[in-house]
Amino acid sequence: MARVFGLLLILFTCIAALPAAAEEGWPRQVTDALGRAVTIPAPPRRIVAIFSSNVEMLAAIGAGPDIVAIEAWTRWPPDLVARTARIGGRLGFSVEAIARLDADLVVMTPARQAAAGLVDPLGRIGIPALVLTHDRLDDILANIRLLGHATGREAAAAAVADAMGARIAHLGACLKGRPPVPVYMETGSDERGAAFTIRDATYTGDILRAAGGVSVFAGRDRLGRVSGEAVGRADPDRILIAGPPERVPALMQRPGWDGIRAVRAGRVDAVTRALLLIPGPRVVEGAEMLARLLHPDAFAAGGACLMPAEGDK
């Protein structure tokens, strides 16, 4: 009997020493924004997500608990931000710190030289690095699905992307036939009197169009910085400031701006910056927020834009 137990112990020890069997469907390969074929050996459980957009997309598909580090300027979701380690910021990102975290996937965008400084070194130490770009609204939906495939959360990712697409389609249908409202959207300003606005062929431009608006600088995609004189010549019907409400009175008091139609009529509003300038799942909320401002009658009782749940309230 002792000999049998001894043989069983040896057998179990040998089995435990064998490499774990590959999970079904893994390893898998995805193609990132740089055209790189990125191999992910197993479902990632220790993800480093660099930049807010990638954190928000991963959290939306249920991968938030697997995120072990974010960059210093990420603010959403707040519970995830509160519990997660920081990995770099404006001064760059450390490959050594990522390696110490035992990361099994790094998701980033090319901003602030993150991709240039991380992709090759991470490849040399065997950590998969996925680079995403979110230029247009369709890219955001596609990247949510891509992250679903990269993390083994395809169903959750498809549900998120489908719901976002349905809400955007609903806006398009209920605002159909309404003339787009000419909008100047300001994303920032400097002490020299210059201001910054959205470019047309971007996800923010897409959000504005989905909301039934159009930039007064549409078609000038190289434009980002504008003068007060240019805004005056464009004479927008509405002015939207991506920032806190206290910026509204200051804008309305700028020299020469009192002749602009939107300022004369008091049609200047502050809008939540994160819903418009972070390319993640919340951009749909941004589109709905803008639509309510630009076409309030469509959201009034009995309006065409009320979702069924809203109409039942």
Side-chain angles (χ1 to χ4, degrees):
M1 182 66 70
R3 184 182 178 192
V4 171
F5 282 129
L7 290 172
L8 288 173
L9 180 60
I10 293 171
L11 176 61
F12 289 141
T13 302
C14 291
I15 292 173
L18 291 174
E23 295 193 47
E24 186 177 353
W26 300 84
R28 61 181 50 173
Q29 197 173 81
V30 296
T31 301
D32 73 0
L34 302 182
R36 300 163 52 249
V38 179
T39 299
I40 304 174
R45 293 294 178 261
R46 297 189 61 79
I47 303 172
V48 172
I50 299 175
F51 301 125
S52 301
S53 55
N54 301 317
V55 174
E56 293 194 20
M57 287 191 289
L58 285 163
I61 66 173
D66 298 324
I67 297 176
V68 295
I70 58 178
E71 59 100 22
W73 299 97
T74 299
R75 298 289 181 267
W76 188 271
D79 55 339
L80 185 153
V81 171
R83 65 157 177 82
T84 308
R86 304 299 188 271
I87 183 78
R90 293 197 186 279
L91 298 180
F93 306 93
S94 166
V95 175
E96 292 77 12
I98 293 172
R100 285 196 297 271
L101 287 166
D102 196 26
D104 51 17
L105 178 65
V106 178
V107 182
M108 70 188 86
T109 55
R112 300 210 302 270
Q113 298 298 306
L118 290 176
V119 167
D120 289 343
L122 288 173
R124 286 194 291 271
I125 60 176
I127 299 177
L130 195 56
V131 181
L132 306 180
T133 55
H134 321 293
D135 296 330
R136 305 298 296 266
L137 183 56
D138 285 346
D139 295 331
I140 297 172
L141 301 181
N143 285 335
I144 288 171
R145 295 181 188 276
L146 186 149
L147 285 174
H149 185 63
T151 60
R153 297 176 181 272
E154 289 91 345
V160 171
D162 288 347
M164 290 175 65
R167 288 166 70 179
I168 292 294
H170 173 72
L171 280 181
C174 69
L175 296 175
K176 187 176 181 180
R178 292 172 178 266
V181 178
V183 172
Y184 164 63
M185 185 183 295
E186 185 166 294
T187 58
S189 60
D190 63 24
E191 297 176 352
R192 296 185 293 276
F196 302 92
T197 189
I198 64 171
R199 290 180 296 115
D200 195 38
T202 61
Y203 62 86
T204 311
D206 293 338
I207 294 167
L208 179 58
R209 280 186 292 279
V214 61
S215 170
V216 291
F217 297 111
R220 300 167 63 182
D221 276 331
R222 293 183 179 274
L223 185 68
R225 183 184 178 111
V226 295
S227 65
E229 291 79 6
V231 178
R233 289 193 298 272
D235 198 23
D237 186 68
R238 297 294 295 262
I239 294 178
L240 303 176
I241 305 174
E246 52 266 30
R247 289 182 55 193
V248 170
L251 180 145
M252 296 181 71
Q253 294 166 14
R254 290 175 185 171
W257 284 56
D258 55 352
I260 297 173
R261 180 176 18 165
V263 176
R264 290 198 312 270
R267 293 193 292 263
V268 181
D269 296 282
V271 291
T272 307
R273 187 178 181 88
L275 301 184
L276 302 172
L277 301 180
I278 296 175
R282 292 190 293 161
V283 296
V284 174
E285 296 177 48
E288 293 168 345
M289 170 186 66
L290 295 185
R292 288 176 181 275
L293 281 172
L294 300 179
H295 301 281
D297 57 317
F299 292 87
C305 281
L306 281 181
M307 299 292 281
E310 293 178 286
D312 293 341
K313 290 178 181 178

